[in-house]
Amino acid sequence: MSKVIVVTSGKGGVGKTTTSASFSSGLALRGNKTVVIDFDVGLRNLDLIMGCERRVVYDIINVINGEVTLKQALIKDKNCDNLYILPASQTRDKDALNLEGVERILNELKESFDCIVCDSPAGIESGAFTAMYFADEALVVTNPEVSSVRDSDRILGILAAKSKRAVDGLDPVKEHLLITRYDPKRVEAGEMLSVTDIQEILRIPLIGVIPESESVLQASNAGTPAIHLDKSDVAEAYRDVVGRFMGDERLPMRFVTVEKKSFLKRLLGGR
Amino acid sequence: MTIETDNSNVLDPNTQRQNPVSQVLPTFRPTMIINKPVRTGQRIYAEGSNLVVLGVVNAGAELIADGDIHIYAPLRGRAIAGAQGNENARIFVHSLEAELISVAGCFKVFENGIPENLRGKPVQVHLDGSDLIIQPLLS
């Protein structure tokens, strides 16, 4: 049974596309046939993060309009065998997406993929709505600051009231909280909301905490999803998220407390 | 609502139920019960009835009832009771962290935060003349 997973947040710049790229790569690495769809029509970014921008010929709007087949528009990922990317259009706007067209594409993808990851645009307008409407599960990406938490709260309200599952009276969309750009040091200093503060407000199960890291920016610029960065905290954290998503609930929550530096590390001046 | 049929203590089988004499029913609407979180941007209106909320009411959410409002969770958004002008309406909150509370059009915002003795406490809110009274509930 294939799953449609939306990566959403309400607020922009919190790490939706970074998460979509790493999460879908992680699913593919674990052997799931995965496709990741960029719903940010007009502000196409996912192809840059995945490093396939030069291979984009056709996009989701071409498929919706019936100009090309789905097979022609799908791009195979360079790092994972099981992963395909369906890019957004850069020259159109969000109105070019329509629910019927998206549903047709999703149904066709469900025939050959296990996981369909939808990278939602920011906001709560038609683009974000279309991305979440058909979701079975949702990764709600939140930064540890009040405006991001409030926007996530808004998105959760919309998921619970207006998604297809809600409208059809099926089981509700399964919600997962993913906290990104988390800095335990700043939490201890009282400058950032803690995991507990965020959970107290949003009250949905936590699937992972991604630490703030410089390597994310480097990975984005290099067109490699952060999960492929060997030995980085971010890659480990995303692997944990994928593990928990696949049902491994025993994984301990890492990167939520300040790491005590060993004597040797301090002596060598490592960061 | 379910009624247990085998509970014979409740009603003696020999007892005759008296049929209601008149058919005039009071204008009564059942309480609206919300058992999920009420999230920012959501508005719930219990028209002509009381409202009971079991989930958290987050900042930016709005509860409106023509009758009373009971919230058995933190209230961080707005609660407006007696929306049609019922001055006897009351608000009961398990943990007061609200942005705004109002009874029959008399409202209070907490610009400087909620007073220490009421913040995060169980309280009830009612109207005394034109004064909105917030009192801690007896524990």
Side-chain angles (χ1 to χ4, degrees), chain B residues 70-121:
Chain B
H70 302 249
I71 302 145
Y72 298 97
L75 169 66
R76 303 187 178 120
R78 301 163 171 233
I80 296 156
Q84 303 260 28
N86 176 7
E87 292 179 0
N88 294 317
R90 291 186 180 214
I91 301 173
F92 301 86
V93 183
H94 182 70
S95 172
L96 183 70
E97 300 164 36
E99 290 173 337
L100 177 147
I101 47 169
S102 161
V103 174
C106 279
F107 67 90
K108 204 168 212 158
V109 287
F110 299 97
E111 202 183 335
N112 301 315
I114 297 163
E116 187 77 41
N117 61 325
L118 300 170
R119 194 189 312 150
K121 300 270 164 49

Side-chain angles (χ1 to χ4, degrees), chain A:
Chain A
M1 192 49 200
S2 47
K3 275 180 192 167
V4 180
I5 307 130
V6 62
V7 179
T8 184
S9 70
K11 195 172 184 298
V14 296
K16 282 183 298 296
T17 303
T18 303
T19 297
S20 299
S22 285
F23 182 67
S24 54
S25 300
L27 288 172
L29 288 173
R30 282 188 167 237
N32 299 290
K33 267 209 99 187
T34 306
V35 56
V36 55
I37 310 176
D38 190 351
F39 274 87
D40 207 345
V41 176
L43 292 168
R44 195 178 88 195
N45 280 163
L46 182 69
D47 51 324
L48 292 169
I49 309 290
M50 303 291 294
C52 65
E53 73 275 15
R54 292 182 183 282
R55 286 155 63 202
V56 175
V57 182
Y58 302 115
D59 55 56
I60 185 168
I61 302 301
N62 294 132
V63 183
I64 285 182
N65 293 342
E67 293 151 18
V68 295
T69 64
L70 198 49
K71 219 174 168 185
Q72 285 175 289
L74 287 175
I75 302 171
K76 192 173 177 304
D77 184 54
K78 59 181 182 185
N79 294 302
C80 317
D81 279 340
N82 288 323
L83 182 59
Y84 288 82
I85 299 134
L86 181 55
S89 171
Q90 183 67 343
T91 52
R92 305 293 291 273
D93 61 32
K94 308 275 191 279
D95 299 331
L97 280 175
N98 59 64
L99 286 178
E100 299 78 43
V102 171
E103 185 170 31
R104 208 180 58 234
I105 291 180
L106 290 177
N107 285 339
E108 199 176 330
L109 289 171
K110 276 179 187 172
E111 286 168 18
S112 40
F113 289 94
D114 305 318
C115 298
I116 303 165
V117 179
C118 303
D119 180 23
S120 166
I124 52 171
E125 282 75 41
S126 69
F129 178 74
T130 314
M132 75 167 70
Y133 187 72
F134 298 101
D136 299 311
E137 305 202 20
L139 284 191
V140 178
V141 182
T142 306
N143 284 172
E145 46 116 8
V146 283
S147 56
S148 174
V149 174
R150 177 168 300 193
D151 291 1
S152 294
D153 194 42
R154 179 84 169 107
I155 284 289
L156 285 166
I158 296 173
L159 273 170
K162 292 185 180 159
S163 63
K164 186 165 194 297
R165 281 179 167 269
V167 172
D168 292 356
L170 301 169
D171 288 343
V173 177
K174 197 171 173 196
E175 299 153 339
H176 306 276
L177 174 63
L178 179 66
I179 301 173
T180 55
R181 308 194 67 169
Y182 196 71
D183 187 344
K185 253 190 213 154
R186 298 189 66 188
V187 172
E188 264 189 13
E191 299 167 4
M192 243 183 204
L193 294 177
S194 70
V195 173
T196 326
D197 292 338
I198 299 171
Q199 279 196 288
E200 169 63 26
I201 297 171
L202 296 180
R203 301 190 172 208
I204 58 171
L206 180 68
I207 196 167
V209 178
I210 311 297
E212 172 79 312
S213 167
E214 290 162 11
S215 50
V216 172
L217 187 65
Q218 290 166 13
S220 298
N221 288 336
T224 312
I227 199 167
H228 295 302
L229 296 174
D230 272 345
K231 289 173 192 149
S232 75
D233 288 0
V234 175
E236 293 290 312
Y238 273 120
R239 277 170 212 261
D240 285 359
V241 169
V242 174
R244 287 187 201 103
F245 185 83
M246 300 293 293
D248 195 350
E249 279 158 16
R250 292 161 308 164
L251 287 171
M253 207 53 84
R254 295 193 277 173
F255 315 113
V256 291
T257 49
V258 178
E259 217 177 298
K260 297 275 183 297
K261 272 187 192 168
S262 70
F263 176 68
L264 199 66
K265 248 189 181 170
R266 259 183 304 182
L267 207 66
L268 296 171
R271 288 206 294 162

Side-chain angles (χ1 to χ4, degrees), chain B residues 112-134:
Chain B
N112 301 315
I114 297 163
E116 187 77 41
N117 61 325
L118 300 170
R119 194 189 312 150
K121 300 270 164 49
V123 299
Q124 72 158 316
V125 182
H126 63 94
L127 207 56
D128 181 12
S130 59
D131 292 337
L132 200 60
I133 311 288
I134 309 174

Side-chain angles (χ1 to χ4, degrees), chain B residues 12-59:
Chain B
D12 183 354
N14 299 323
T15 313
Q16 285 282 317
R17 249 188 213 270
Q18 206 174 22
N19 286 325
V21 182
S22 71
Q23 286 296 315
V24 182
L25 293 165
T27 48
F28 170 79
R29 287 199 194 185
T31 299
M32 183 189 246
I33 298 178
I34 306 292
N35 54 12
K36 288 186 294 193
V38 187
R39 301 193 179 274
T40 186
Q42 292 184 315
R43 170 188 274 179
I44 289 173
Y45 178 30
E47 195 180 352
S49 75
N50 297 335
L51 175 61
V52 172
V53 179
L54 299 164
V56 61
V57 181
N58 274 343

